[in-house]
Amino acid sequence: MNNFVYSPIQMNLLHYIALTKVRGIGPVIGRHLIDYFGDAATVFTAPARELMAIPGIGPRLAESITDARALHEAENELSFIEKHSIQALVWGTPDYPKRLAECSDAPLLLYYKGVADLNASPTVSIVGTRNATAYGKSICTALVGDLKPYRPVIVSGLAYGIDSCAHRAALEHDIPTIGVLGHGLDRIYPAANRGMAAKMLECGGLLTEFPSGTTPDRQNFPMRNRIIAGLADVTIVVEAAHKGGALITAEIANTYNRDVCAFPGNVGQASSAGCNYLIKTNRAHLITGARDVEYLMNWEPQSQPTVSQTQLLQTTLTDAEQEAYKIIQEAGKIGVDDLSSTLQWPQSKLAITLLEMEMKGVITALPGKVYRIIS
């Protein structure tokens, strides 16, 4: 290490960066090391025999950890991220994305530049083929626009095709959008997306687990895909061939127990074969638009009835309906059992009241006998 005096925060981050620089240490072994030694700095001062007590660490890997090379490389990376105002998000800290932290193979360290909230809800990942058809681009653009009332963050991979379409549509609708990269933040790939990436930094962001100097090599993108899946509440496949990154992302999302949706396509179209396969094998919910996603996820538009709307409702609802309406409105959405308990009505009265309110177009029923106001 050089003679520069680091603060305790910088020193902690420096050792986390160094840990990711050691070839052979991935998220799982990295976590084992942190759990065993308590922090990253202690890992680098531990004797080789103690390191080898950790599952997965043999003599060669122990030697790599005790080698000073990783710390020297980490110093250069720390200098880079500070110079370019990049956030380093360490696994296990409050700044780390909460949904991603739940995943068993979440990266130990993320590099982030942007303003979007990585813990925003809802967060929607949209993926698909690089060779998008006019059909795919059309439904992707419409989907993003129709999702705006739910105030989502849109996540994708900044690749050609559906990824670029999703990011571009989000920017057009002033929706925060995050690009997850398969390389370091010292470059943009493909280069044609540099202008769009610059705009994303103003209302979204760019995220990667790869340090500067990492090139967009083929093996990086499946790793990138797990972050796309792990960040989101739901992954939506717009258009995809039978093989490719979009299906990998969908499969990963399923292993994380996250919802996956797919648009059906022409049975004779190669670019729709992947989506049709996901639906056929029950790996994805069939959707045709944003309202299907709303129904599946129990979402509601982020808006409230205006005063004039409320006054109009008061003239068309019975006293009982107004009482139920007020409770549902205050709750945002509420299950029928909780509603019954609050109102202390007989089940028969509640069932009739809710049915009348549905027929008047005042409330809507969500899965699980949950009700919300139609705004």
Side-chain angles (χ1 to χ4, degrees):
M1 293 176 62
N2 62 36
N3 295 322
F4 185 83
V5 178
Y6 293 105
S7 71
I9 293 176
Q10 288 175 313
M11 185 62 75
N12 181 59
L13 178 56
L14 181 72
H15 285 91
Y16 264 95
I17 295 172
L19 201 56
T20 67
K21 293 282 187 177
V22 178
R23 179 170 292 184
I25 294 182
V28 176
I29 292 179
R31 278 202 194 91
H32 288 329
L33 286 165
I34 298 299
D35 289 343
Y36 185 88
F37 292 105
D39 58 58
T42 308
V43 173
F44 288 93
T45 59
R49 67 179 182 279
E50 195 169 358
L51 290 168
M52 287 188 288
I54 307 299
I57 296 183
R60 183 175 296 178
L61 186 51
E63 183 180 349
S64 297
I65 293 171
T66 55
D67 190 324
R69 218 173 323 179
L71 284 168
H72 288 309
E73 292 178 8
E75 288 179 329
N76 294 332
E77 193 63 32
L78 183 60
S79 175
F80 174 82
I81 66 174
E82 289 182 343
K83 178 181 178 180
H84 296 280
S85 301
I86 294 168
Q87 285 181 267
L89 309 175
V90 176
W91 180 84
T93 64
D95 291 334
Y96 196 91
K98 292 179 175 59
R99 279 178 294 258
L100 186 59
E102 297 170 356
C103 305
S104 61
D105 56 353
L108 282 177
L109 188 64
L110 293 166
Y111 300 102
Y112 179 55
K113 189 171 179 63
V115 296
D117 181 2
L118 297 174
N119 292 311
S121 185
T123 295
V124 181
S125 288
I126 298 177
V127 295
T129 178
R130 284 173 167 80
N131 302 309
T133 66
Y135 163 78
K137 292 176 183 177
S138 173
I139 58 175
C140 181
T141 300
L143 170 69
V144 173
D146 291 342
L147 285 173
K148 183 173 182 177
Y150 309 97
R151 298 183 185 174
V153 169
I154 302 296
V155 176
S156 197
L158 203 70
Y160 286 124
I162 295 299
D163 288 18
S164 294
C165 183
H167 292 309
R168 192 174 298 110
L171 291 172
E172 290 172 357
H173 289 281
D174 296 318
I175 299 171
T177 183
I178 297 169
V180 183
L181 311 180
H183 49 79
L185 284 171
D186 57 335
R187 69 193 71 211
I188 294 296
Y189 174 83
N193 281 344
R194 285 176 183 166
M196 184 168 67
K199 293 178 183 178
M200 290 168 64
L201 292 176
E202 298 173 6
C203 70
L206 301 175
L207 181 72
T208 184
E209 68 177 303
F210 298 105
S212 60
T214 305
T215 54
D217 297 329
R218 186 171 186 173
Q219 67 270 18
N220 295 349
F221 292 95
M223 297 173 66
R224 181 274 309 266
N225 292 344
R226 83 188 194 286
I227 300 176
I228 295 175
L231 282 175
D233 298 295
V234 58
T235 293
I236 300 175
V237 186
V238 173
E239 189 177 44
H242 206 299
K243 293 183 180 180
L247 262 67
I248 293 172
T249 308
E251 194 63 36
I252 294 170
N254 275 312
T255 67
Y256 291 161
N257 291 317
R258 305 291 169 83
D259 284 289
V260 178
C261 300
F263 283 88
N266 189 319
V267 295
Q269 190 83 29
S271 56
S272 292
C275 288
N276 292 339
Y277 169 78
L278 290 172
I279 295 166
K280 181 179 70 174
T281 56
N282 295 316
R283 287 174 166 85
H285 300 276
L286 186 155
I287 62 168
T288 58
R291 293 303 295 270
D292 293 334
V293 182
E294 173 196 335
Y295 179 81
L296 172 70
M297 302 300 294
N298 273 350
W299 290 345
E300 58 183 281
Q302 300 295 308
S303 59
Q304 297 295 329
T306 64
V307 174
S308 59
Q309 287 175 316
T310 302
Q311 291 173 340
L312 178 63
L313 287 169
Q314 288 174 346
T315 65
T316 59
L317 300 182
T318 66
D319 290 344
E321 289 167 355
Q322 286 188 38
E323 190 176 352
Y325 179 92
K326 182 179 179 181
I327 292 170
I328 298 171
Q329 184 182 40
E330 289 175 352
K333 56 187 175 184
I334 188 170
V336 68
D337 291 337
D338 291 335
L339 186 57
S340 176
S341 176
T342 303
L343 289 168
Q344 295 186 336
W345 289 352
Q347 286 289 341
S348 58
K349 178 181 178 180
L350 179 60
I352 292 171
T353 302
L354 292 173
L355 179 59
E356 290 291 334
M357 293 173 74
E358 278 195 84
M359 292 177 67
K360 291 178 179 180
V362 174
I363 62 172
T364 186
L366 303 173
K369 295 184 179 179
V370 173
Y371 291 86
R372 71 165 176 80
I373 302 298
I374 296 178
S375 55

